[in-house]
Each structure stands twice: as structure tokens, then as C-alpha cells.
PDB file of all heavy atoms in Angstrom:
ATOM      1  N   VAL T   1     -13.467  -7.218  -7.607  1.00 96.00           N
ATOM      2  CA  VAL T   1     -14.084  -8.374  -6.992  1.00 96.00           C
ATOM      3  C   VAL T   1     -15.611  -8.283  -7.145  1.00 96.00           C
ATOM      4  O   VAL T   1     -16.171  -7.203  -7.390  1.00 96.00           O
ATOM      5  CB  VAL T   1     -13.672  -8.532  -5.545  1.00 96.00           C
ATOM      6  CG1 VAL T   1     -12.221  -8.634  -5.359  1.00 96.00           C
ATOM      7  CG2 VAL T   1     -14.258  -7.396  -4.679  1.00 96.00           C
ATOM      8  N   LYS T   2     -16.266  -9.388  -7.010  1.00 97.00           N
ATOM      9  CA  LYS T   2     -17.712  -9.383  -7.010  1.00 97.00           C
ATOM     10  C   LYS T   2     -18.205  -8.684  -5.721  1.00 97.00           C
ATOM     11  O   LYS T   2     -17.618  -8.857  -4.662  1.00 97.00           O
ATOM     12  CB  LYS T   2     -18.270 -10.797  -7.043  1.00 97.00           C
ATOM     13  CG  LYS T   2     -17.927 -11.512  -8.354  1.00 97.00           C
ATOM     14  CD  LYS T   2     -18.447 -12.924  -8.352  1.00 97.00           C
ATOM     15  CE  LYS T   2     -18.050 -13.638  -9.632  1.00 97.00           C
ATOM     16  NZ  LYS T   2     -18.535 -15.018  -9.641  1.00 97.00           N
ATOM     17  N   ALA T   3     -19.283  -7.949  -5.881  1.00 97.00           N
ATOM     18  CA  ALA T   3     -19.818  -7.203  -4.732  1.00 97.00           C
ATOM     19  C   ALA T   3     -20.125  -8.127  -3.561  1.00 97.00           C
ATOM     20  O   ALA T   3     -19.900  -7.749  -2.384  1.00 97.00           O
ATOM     21  CB  ALA T   3     -21.085  -6.419  -5.120  1.00 97.00           C
ATOM     22  N   ALA T   4     -20.510  -9.334  -3.828  1.00 97.00           N
ATOM     23  CA  ALA T   4     -20.846 -10.289  -2.752  1.00 97.00           C
ATOM     24  C   ALA T   4     -19.579 -10.714  -1.978  1.00 97.00           C
ATOM     25  O   ALA T   4     -19.717 -11.228  -0.873  1.00 97.00           O
ATOM     26  CB  ALA T   4     -21.508 -11.530  -3.353  1.00 97.00           C
ATOM     27  N   ASN T   5     -18.392 -10.482  -2.542  1.00 95.00           N
ATOM     28  CA  ASN T   5     -17.136 -10.910  -1.903  1.00 95.00           C
ATOM     29  C   ASN T   5     -16.418  -9.770  -1.170  1.00 95.00           C
ATOM     30  O   ASN T   5     -15.331 -10.023  -0.592  1.00 95.00           O
ATOM     31  CB  ASN T   5     -16.203 -11.518  -2.909  1.00 95.00           C
ATOM     32  CG  ASN T   5     -16.788 -12.812  -3.506  1.00 95.00           C
ATOM     33  OD1 ASN T   5     -17.609 -13.459  -2.925  1.00 95.00           O
ATOM     34  ND2 ASN T   5     -16.322 -13.132  -4.710  1.00 95.00           N
ATOM     35  N   VAL T   6     -16.946  -8.592  -1.171  1.00 95.00           N
ATOM     36  CA  VAL T   6     -16.268  -7.424  -0.567  1.00 95.00           C
ATOM     37  C   VAL T   6     -15.956  -7.649   0.892  1.00 95.00           C
ATOM     38  O   VAL T   6     -14.826  -7.391   1.326  1.00 95.00           O
ATOM     39  CB  VAL T   6     -17.057  -6.128  -0.813  1.00 95.00           C
ATOM     40  CG1 VAL T   6     -16.534  -5.007   0.049  1.00 95.00           C
ATOM     41  CG2 VAL T   6     -17.029  -5.728  -2.273  1.00 95.00           C
ATOM     42  N   THR T   7     -16.893  -8.121   1.657  1.00 95.00           N
ATOM     43  CA  THR T   7     -16.672  -8.347   3.082  1.00 95.00           C
ATOM     44  C   THR T   7     -15.526  -9.319   3.328  1.00 95.00           C
ATOM     45  O   THR T   7     -14.658  -9.116   4.175  1.00 95.00           O
ATOM     46  CB  THR T   7     -17.937  -8.812   3.779  1.00 95.00           C
ATOM     47  OG1 THR T   7     -18.967  -7.828   3.548  1.00 95.00           O
ATOM     48  CG2 THR T   7     -17.751  -9.029   5.243  1.00 95.00           C
ATOM     49  N   GLU T   8     -15.535 -10.398   2.524  1.00 94.00           N
ATOM     50  CA  GLU T   8     -14.474 -11.444   2.621  1.00 94.00           C
ATOM     51  C   GLU T   8     -13.129 -10.877   2.282  1.00 94.00           C
ATOM     52  O   GLU T   8     -12.113 -11.133   2.945  1.00 94.00           O
ATOM     53  CB  GLU T   8     -14.837 -12.596   1.731  1.00 94.00           C
ATOM     54  CG  GLU T   8     -13.824 -13.721   1.734  1.00 94.00           C
ATOM     55  CD  GLU T   8     -14.237 -14.826   0.773  1.00 94.00           C
ATOM     56  OE1 GLU T   8     -15.400 -14.909   0.363  1.00 94.00           O
ATOM     57  OE2 GLU T   8     -13.334 -15.595   0.396  1.00 94.00           O
ATOM     58  N   VAL T   9     -13.058 -10.071   1.200  1.00 92.00           N
ATOM     59  CA  VAL T   9     -11.810  -9.459   0.778  1.00 92.00           C
ATOM     60  C   VAL T   9     -11.278  -8.513   1.843  1.00 92.00           C
ATOM     61  O   VAL T   9     -10.113  -8.461   2.143  1.00 92.00           O
ATOM     62  CB  VAL T   9     -11.967  -8.788  -0.604  1.00 92.00           C
ATOM     63  CG1 VAL T   9     -10.759  -7.936  -0.951  1.00 92.00           C
ATOM     64  CG2 VAL T   9     -12.226  -9.855  -1.684  1.00 92.00           C
ATOM     65  N   GLU T  10     -12.178  -7.665   2.351  1.00 93.00           N
ATOM     66  CA  GLU T  10     -11.787  -6.720   3.390  1.00 93.00           C
ATOM     67  C   GLU T  10     -11.170  -7.434   4.585  1.00 93.00           C
ATOM     68  O   GLU T  10     -10.135  -7.021   5.109  1.00 93.00           O
ATOM     69  CB  GLU T  10     -13.007  -5.886   3.849  1.00 93.00           C
ATOM     70  CG  GLU T  10     -13.447  -4.868   2.856  1.00 93.00           C
ATOM     71  CD  GLU T  10     -12.561  -3.662   2.751  1.00 93.00           C
ATOM     72  OE1 GLU T  10     -11.965  -3.233   3.749  1.00 93.00           O
ATOM     73  OE2 GLU T  10     -12.403  -3.153   1.608  1.00 93.00           O
ATOM     74  N   ALA T  11     -11.786  -8.508   5.021  1.00 94.00           N
ATOM     75  CA  ALA T  11     -11.271  -9.278   6.163  1.00 94.00           C
ATOM     76  C   ALA T  11      -9.907  -9.894   5.819  1.00 94.00           C
ATOM     77  O   ALA T  11      -9.014  -9.881   6.662  1.00 94.00           O
ATOM     78  CB  ALA T  11     -12.257 -10.363   6.548  1.00 94.00           C
ATOM     79  N   ALA T  12      -9.756 -10.391   4.619  1.00 92.00           N
ATOM     80  CA  ALA T  12      -8.491 -10.997   4.228  1.00 92.00           C
ATOM     81  C   ALA T  12      -7.390  -9.988   4.188  1.00 92.00           C
ATOM     82  O   ALA T  12      -6.259 -10.267   4.621  1.00 92.00           O
ATOM     83  CB  ALA T  12      -8.619 -11.750   2.908  1.00 92.00           C
ATOM     84  N   VAL T  13      -7.671  -8.814   3.635  1.00 91.00           N
ATOM     85  CA  VAL T  13      -6.660  -7.732   3.566  1.00 91.00           C
ATOM     86  C   VAL T  13      -6.255  -7.343   4.992  1.00 91.00           C
ATOM     87  O   VAL T  13      -5.040  -7.195   5.249  1.00 91.00           O
ATOM     88  CB  VAL T  13      -7.207  -6.514   2.791  1.00 91.00           C
ATOM     89  CG1 VAL T  13      -6.310  -5.301   2.971  1.00 91.00           C
ATOM     90  CG2 VAL T  13      -7.357  -6.842   1.309  1.00 91.00           C
ATOM     91  N   LYS T  14      -7.202  -7.241   5.879  1.00 93.00           N
ATOM     92  CA  LYS T  14      -6.853  -6.904   7.276  1.00 93.00           C
ATOM     93  C   LYS T  14      -5.951  -7.972   7.926  1.00 93.00           C
ATOM     94  O   LYS T  14      -5.019  -7.632   8.635  1.00 93.00           O
ATOM     95  CB  LYS T  14      -8.115  -6.703   8.107  1.00 93.00           C
ATOM     96  CG  LYS T  14      -8.842  -5.433   7.779  1.00 93.00           C
ATOM     97  CD  LYS T  14     -10.088  -5.274   8.590  1.00 93.00           C
ATOM     98  CE  LYS T  14     -10.830  -3.972   8.180  1.00 93.00           C
ATOM     99  NZ  LYS T  14     -12.047  -3.791   8.930  1.00 93.00           N
ATOM    100  N   ARG T  15      -6.232  -9.229   7.620  1.00 94.00           N
ATOM    101  CA  ARG T  15      -5.379 -10.298   8.177  1.00 94.00           C
ATOM    102  C   ARG T  15      -3.974 -10.238   7.610  1.00 94.00           C
ATOM    103  O   ARG T  15      -2.990 -10.428   8.354  1.00 94.00           O
ATOM    104  CB  ARG T  15      -6.002 -11.687   7.880  1.00 94.00           C
ATOM    105  CG  ARG T  15      -7.218 -11.974   8.732  1.00 94.00           C
ATOM    106  CD  ARG T  15      -7.637 -13.426   8.609  1.00 94.00           C
ATOM    107  NE  ARG T  15      -8.001 -13.857   7.261  1.00 94.00           N
ATOM    108  CZ  ARG T  15      -9.220 -13.750   6.717  1.00 94.00           C
ATOM    109  NH1 ARG T  15     -10.206 -13.204   7.437  1.00 94.00           N
ATOM    110  NH2 ARG T  15      -9.446 -14.141   5.505  1.00 94.00           N
ATOM    111  N   VAL T  16      -3.838  -9.979   6.319  1.00 93.00           N
ATOM    112  CA  VAL T  16      -2.473  -9.889   5.720  1.00 93.00           C
ATOM    113  C   VAL T  16      -1.731  -8.691   6.298  1.00 93.00           C
ATOM    114  O   VAL T  16      -0.562  -8.827   6.687  1.00 93.00           O
ATOM    115  CB  VAL T  16      -2.591  -9.779   4.172  1.00 93.00           C
ATOM    116  CG1 VAL T  16      -1.242  -9.417   3.565  1.00 93.00           C
ATOM    117  CG2 VAL T  16      -3.110 -11.072   3.567  1.00 93.00           C
ATOM    118  N   PHE T  17      -2.381  -7.554   6.415  1.00 92.00           N
ATOM    119  CA  PHE T  17      -1.724  -6.358   6.960  1.00 92.00           C
ATOM    120  C   PHE T  17      -1.371  -6.577   8.449  1.00 92.00           C
ATOM    121  O   PHE T  17      -0.300  -6.139   8.874  1.00 92.00           O
ATOM    122  CB  PHE T  17      -2.588  -5.112   6.781  1.00 92.00           C
ATOM    123  CG  PHE T  17      -2.467  -4.505   5.406  1.00 92.00           C
ATOM    124  CD1 PHE T  17      -2.284  -5.291   4.248  1.00 92.00           C
ATOM    125  CD2 PHE T  17      -2.486  -3.141   5.251  1.00 92.00           C
ATOM    126  CE1 PHE T  17      -2.157  -4.692   3.019  1.00 92.00           C
ATOM    127  CE2 PHE T  17      -2.353  -2.534   3.999  1.00 92.00           C
ATOM    128  CZ  PHE T  17      -2.184  -3.343   2.871  1.00 92.00           C
ATOM    129  N   ALA T  18      -2.197  -7.256   9.193  1.00 94.00           N
ATOM    130  CA  ALA T  18      -1.914  -7.553  10.581  1.00 94.00           C
ATOM    131  C   ALA T  18      -0.666  -8.450  10.655  1.00 94.00           C
ATOM    132  O   ALA T  18       0.176  -8.254  11.552  1.00 94.00           O
ATOM    133  CB  ALA T  18      -3.078  -8.198  11.273  1.00 94.00           C
ATOM    134  N   ALA T  19      -0.573  -9.430   9.798  1.00 94.00           N
ATOM    135  CA  ALA T  19       0.565 -10.365   9.772  1.00 94.00           C
ATOM    136  C   ALA T  19       1.817  -9.605   9.419  1.00 94.00           C
ATOM    137  O   ALA T  19       2.889  -9.805  10.036  1.00 94.00           O
ATOM    138  CB  ALA T  19       0.321 -11.493   8.815  1.00 94.00           C
ATOM    139  N   LEU T  20       1.746  -8.675   8.452  1.00 93.00           N
ATOM    140  CA  LEU T  20       2.919  -7.864   8.101  1.00 93.00           C
ATOM    141  C   LEU T  20       3.339  -6.975   9.276  1.00 93.00           C
ATOM    142  O   LEU T  20       4.539  -6.823   9.559  1.00 93.00           O
ATOM    143  CB  LEU T  20       2.603  -6.993   6.898  1.00 93.00           C
ATOM    144  CG  LEU T  20       2.686  -7.682   5.540  1.00 93.00           C
ATOM    145  CD1 LEU T  20       2.117  -6.769   4.437  1.00 93.00           C
ATOM    146  CD2 LEU T  20       4.104  -8.078   5.209  1.00 93.00           C
ATOM    147  N   GLN T  21       2.354  -6.417   9.958  1.00 92.00           N
ATOM    148  CA  GLN T  21       2.676  -5.555  11.113  1.00 92.00           C
ATOM    149  C   GLN T  21       3.335  -6.371  12.239  1.00 92.00           C
ATOM    150  O   GLN T  21       4.261  -5.908  12.878  1.00 92.00           O
ATOM    151  CB  GLN T  21       1.401  -4.891  11.604  1.00 92.00           C
ATOM    152  CG  GLN T  21       1.693  -3.816  12.631  1.00 92.00           C
ATOM    153  CD  GLN T  21       0.436  -3.019  12.913  1.00 92.00           C
ATOM    154  OE1 GLN T  21      -0.669  -3.482  12.821  1.00 92.00           O
ATOM    155  NE2 GLN T  21       0.618  -1.745  13.316  1.00 92.00           N
ATOM    156  N   GLN T  22       2.869  -7.591  12.407  1.00 93.00           N
ATOM    157  CA  GLN T  22       3.433  -8.458  13.439  1.00 93.00           C
ATOM    158  C   GLN T  22       4.870  -8.834  13.076  1.00 93.00           C
ATOM    159  O   GLN T  22       5.767  -8.850  13.913  1.00 93.00           O
ATOM    160  CB  GLN T  22       2.600  -9.706  13.626  1.00 93.00           C
ATOM    161  CG  GLN T  22       3.120 -10.602  14.703  1.00 93.00           C
ATOM    162  CD  GLN T  22       2.215 -11.834  14.930  1.00 93.00           C
ATOM    163  OE1 GLN T  22       1.095 -11.836  14.513  1.00 93.00           O
ATOM    164  NE2 GLN T  22       2.757 -12.831  15.544  1.00 93.00           N
ATOM    165  N   GLU T  23       5.077  -9.217  11.828  1.00 91.00           N
ATOM    166  CA  GLU T  23       6.446  -9.647  11.346  1.00 91.00           C
ATOM    167  C   GLU T  23       7.387  -8.482  11.254  1.00 91.00           C
ATOM    168  O   GLU T  23       8.588  -8.659  11.422  1.00 91.00           O
ATOM    169  CB  GLU T  23       6.338 -10.338  10.024  1.00 91.00           C
ATOM    170  CG  GLU T  23       5.574 -11.656  10.032  1.00 91.00           C
ATOM    171  CD  GLU T  23       6.309 -12.746  10.799  1.00 91.00           C
ATOM    172  OE1 GLU T  23       7.553 -12.817  10.670  1.00 91.00           O
ATOM    173  OE2 GLU T  23       5.633 -13.492  11.475  1.00 91.00           O
ATOM    174  N   GLN T  24       6.920  -7.341  10.922  1.00 91.00           N
ATOM    175  CA  GLN T  24       7.702  -6.114  10.711  1.00 91.00           C
ATOM    176  C   GLN T  24       8.961  -6.334   9.828  1.00 91.00           C
ATOM    177  O   GLN T  24      10.053  -6.045  10.258  1.00 91.00           O
ATOM    178  CB  GLN T  24       8.107  -5.519  12.053  1.00 91.00           C
ATOM    179  CG  GLN T  24       6.938  -5.046  12.838  1.00 91.00           C
ATOM    180  CD  GLN T  24       7.334  -4.317  14.112  1.00 91.00           C
ATOM    181  OE1 GLN T  24       8.508  -4.252  14.488  1.00 91.00           O
ATOM    182  NE2 GLN T  24       6.376  -3.778  14.820  1.00 91.00           N
ATOM    183  N   PRO T  25       8.747  -6.850   8.612  1.00 91.00           N
ATOM    184  CA  PRO T  25       9.932  -7.042   7.735  1.00 91.00           C
ATOM    185  C   PRO T  25      10.533  -5.703   7.380  1.00 91.00           C
ATOM    186  O   PRO T  25       9.826  -4.691   7.202  1.00 91.00           O
ATOM    187  CB  PRO T  25       9.312  -7.726   6.521  1.00 91.00           C
ATOM    188  CG  PRO T  25       7.851  -7.437   6.548  1.00 91.00           C
ATOM    189  CD  PRO T  25       7.491  -7.190   7.983  1.00 91.00           C
ATOM    190  N   LYS T  26      11.828  -5.683   7.353  1.00 93.00           N
ATOM    191  CA  LYS T  26      12.539  -4.418   7.052  1.00 93.00           C
ATOM    192  C   LYS T  26      12.552  -4.198   5.547  1.00 93.00           C
ATOM    193  O   LYS T  26      12.563  -5.109   4.721  1.00 93.00           O
ATOM    194  CB  LYS T  26      13.996  -4.545   7.546  1.00 93.00           C
ATOM    195  CG  LYS T  26      14.121  -4.806   9.047  1.00 93.00           C
ATOM    196  CD  LYS T  26      13.660  -3.599   9.826  1.00 93.00           C
ATOM    197  CE  LYS T  26      13.909  -3.853  11.310  1.00 93.00           C
ATOM    198  NZ  LYS T  26      12.962  -3.257  12.152  1.00 93.00           N
ATOM    199  N   GLY T  27      12.571  -2.935   5.174  1.00 95.00           N
ATOM    200  CA  GLY T  27      12.754  -2.537   3.786  1.00 95.00           C
ATOM    201  C   GLY T  27      11.506  -2.629   2.904  1.00 95.00           C
ATOM    202  O   GLY T  27      11.617  -2.705   1.687  1.00 95.00           O
ATOM    203  N   ILE T  28      10.350  -2.630   3.531  1.00 95.00           N
ATOM    204  CA  ILE T  28       9.133  -2.664   2.743  1.00 95.00           C
ATOM    205  C   ILE T  28       8.159  -1.576   3.217  1.00 95.00           C
ATOM    206  O   ILE T  28       8.185  -1.152   4.364  1.00 95.00           O
ATOM    207  CB  ILE T  28       8.380  -4.019   2.794  1.00 95.00           C
ATOM    208  CG1 ILE T  28       7.704  -4.261   4.131  1.00 95.00           C
ATOM    209  CG2 ILE T  28       9.311  -5.173   2.432  1.00 95.00           C
ATOM    210  CD1 ILE T  28       6.668  -5.325   4.078  1.00 95.00           C
ATOM    211  N   ARG T  29       7.340  -1.143   2.293  1.00 96.00           N
ATOM    212  CA  ARG T  29       6.211  -0.251   2.607  1.00 96.00           C
ATOM    213  C   ARG T  29       5.020  -0.791   1.824  1.00 96.00           C
ATOM    214  O   ARG T  29       5.165  -1.292   0.722  1.00 96.00           O
ATOM    215  CB  ARG T  29       6.556   1.196   2.172  1.00 96.00           C
ATOM    216  CG  ARG T  29       7.491   1.833   3.162  1.00 96.00           C
ATOM    217  CD  ARG T  29       8.325   2.940   2.567  1.00 96.00           C
ATOM    218  NE  ARG T  29       9.211   2.571   1.523  1.00 96.00           N
ATOM    219  CZ  ARG T  29      10.368   1.904   1.646  1.00 96.00           C
ATOM    220  NH1 ARG T  29      10.756   1.482   2.801  1.00 96.00           N
ATOM    221  NH2 ARG T  29      11.128   1.635   0.628  1.00 96.00           N
ATOM    222  N   TYR T  30       3.838  -0.690   2.408  1.00 94.00           N
ATOM    223  CA  TYR T  30       2.675  -1.271   1.739  1.00 94.00           C
ATOM    224  C   TYR T  30       1.399  -0.494   2.101  1.00 94.00           C
ATOM    225  O   TYR T  30       1.344   0.166   3.134  1.00 94.00           O
ATOM    226  CB  TYR T  30       2.521  -2.720   2.178  1.00 94.00           C
ATOM    227  CG  TYR T  30       2.514  -2.938   3.671  1.00 94.00           C
ATOM    228  CD1 TYR T  30       1.351  -2.886   4.390  1.00 94.00           C
ATOM    229  CD2 TYR T  30       3.690  -3.148   4.368  1.00 94.00           C
ATOM    230  CE1 TYR T  30       1.338  -3.053   5.807  1.00 94.00           C
ATOM    231  CE2 TYR T  30       3.725  -3.291   5.733  1.00 94.00           C
ATOM    232  CZ  TYR T  30       2.525  -3.259   6.453  1.00 94.00           C
ATOM    233  OH  TYR T  30       2.536  -3.408   7.799  1.00 94.00           O
ATOM    234  N   THR T  31       0.484  -0.562   1.176  1.00 94.00           N
ATOM    235  CA  THR T  31      -0.831   0.095   1.412  1.00 94.00           C
ATOM    236  C   THR T  31      -1.829  -0.578   0.483  1.00 94.00           C
ATOM    237  O   THR T  31      -1.465  -1.215  -0.494  1.00 94.00           O
ATOM    238  CB  THR T  31      -0.785   1.587   1.232  1.00 94.00           C
ATOM    239  OG1 THR T  31      -1.983   2.191   1.688  1.00 94.00           O
ATOM    240  CG2 THR T  31      -0.580   1.952  -0.241  1.00 94.00           C
ATOM    241  N   SER T  32      -3.094  -0.378   0.823  1.00 93.00           N
ATOM    242  CA  SER T  32      -4.149  -0.908   0.017  1.00 93.00           C
ATOM    243  C   SER T  32      -5.351   0.020   0.177  1.00 93.00           C
ATOM    244  O   SER T  32      -5.557   0.596   1.232  1.00 93.00           O
ATOM    245  CB  SER T  32      -4.530  -2.311   0.455  1.00 93.00           C
ATOM    246  OG  SER T  32      -5.650  -2.793  -0.261  1.00 93.00           O
ATOM    247  N   CYS T  33      -6.158   0.122  -0.870  1.00 94.00           N
ATOM    248  CA  CYS T  33      -7.388   0.918  -0.747  1.00 94.00           C
ATOM    249  C   CYS T  33      -8.456   0.344  -1.667  1.00 94.00           C
ATOM    250  O   CYS T  33      -8.145  -0.305  -2.676  1.00 94.00           O
ATOM    251  CB  CYS T  33      -7.124   2.383  -1.030  1.00 94.00           C
ATOM    252  SG  CYS T  33      -6.705   2.737  -2.747  1.00 94.00           S
ATOM    253  N   ARG T  34      -9.690   0.606  -1.277  1.00 95.00           N
ATOM    254  CA  ARG T  34     -10.798   0.209  -2.122  1.00 95.00           C
ATOM    255  C   ARG T  34     -11.278   1.467  -2.843  1.00 95.00           C
ATOM    256  O   ARG T  34     -11.441   2.543  -2.212  1.00 95.00           O
ATOM    257  CB  ARG T  34     -11.934  -0.347  -1.279  1.00 95.00           C
ATOM    258  CG  ARG T  34     -13.127  -0.796  -2.104  1.00 95.00           C
ATOM    259  CD  ARG T  34     -14.138  -1.590  -1.317  1.00 95.00           C
ATOM    260  NE  ARG T  34     -14.438  -1.015  -0.020  1.00 95.00           N
ATOM    261  CZ  ARG T  34     -15.559  -1.235   0.633  1.00 95.00           C
ATOM    262  NH1 ARG T  34     -16.457  -2.045   0.171  1.00 95.00           N
ATOM    263  NH2 ARG T  34     -15.751  -0.680   1.810  1.00 95.00           N
ATOM    264  N   LEU T  35     -11.452   1.421  -4.140  1.00 97.00           N
ATOM    265  CA  LEU T  35     -11.844   2.550  -4.895  1.00 97.00           C
ATOM    266  C   LEU T  35     -13.319   2.923  -4.710  1.00 97.00           C
ATOM    267  O   LEU T  35     -14.079   2.119  -4.150  1.00 97.00           O
ATOM    268  CB  LEU T  35     -11.502   2.382  -6.379  1.00 97.00           C
ATOM    269  CG  LEU T  35     -10.023   2.117  -6.679  1.00 97.00           C
ATOM    270  CD1 LEU T  35      -9.811   2.007  -8.212  1.00 97.00           C
ATOM    271  CD2 LEU T  35      -9.116   3.178  -6.104  1.00 97.00           C
ATOM    272  N   SER T  36     -13.668   4.067  -5.210  1.00 97.00           N
ATOM    273  CA  SER T  36     -15.025   4.561  -4.940  1.00 97.00           C
ATOM    274  C   SER T  36     -16.150   3.708  -5.548  1.00 97.00           C
ATOM    275  O   SER T  36     -17.312   3.819  -5.127  1.00 97.00           O
ATOM    276  CB  SER T  36     -15.174   6.013  -5.465  1.00 97.00           C
ATOM    277  OG  SER T  36     -14.948   6.048  -6.864  1.00 97.00           O
TER     278      SER T  36
END
């Protein structure tokens, strides 16, 4: 992503992961990371 969009992407990833945690769908595992 463009450096100017990192904050927006971080926030969006947190929202998606929070929604997954709330829904707790069975049979999935997920992770995400930002590289160095």
C-alpha cells in the first residue's frame, strides 16, 4: 500500500478482525501482519 494509506489500512484490518471475532465462524483461522 502507499505509505499515506497505512493508518487507514491498519484501521480496516482491525475492523475486519473484530467482526470475525464477533461472528466466530467455525473452521477458520486467520492472521495478518505488516512486513518490516
Side-chain angles (χ1 to χ4, degrees):
V1 302
K2 294 179 182 177
N5 296 337
V6 167
T7 301
E8 180 182 340
V9 169
E10 287 286 324
V13 168
K14 286 180 182 179
R15 286 191 299 272
V16 170
F17 277 37
L20 281 170
Q21 190 170 28
Q22 182 178 342
E23 293 291 321
Q24 296 186 354
K26 302 291 185 212
I28 73 163
R29 283 154 299 285
Y30 52 90
T31 192
S32 175
C33 67
R34 183 169 44 157
L35 300 184
S36 61

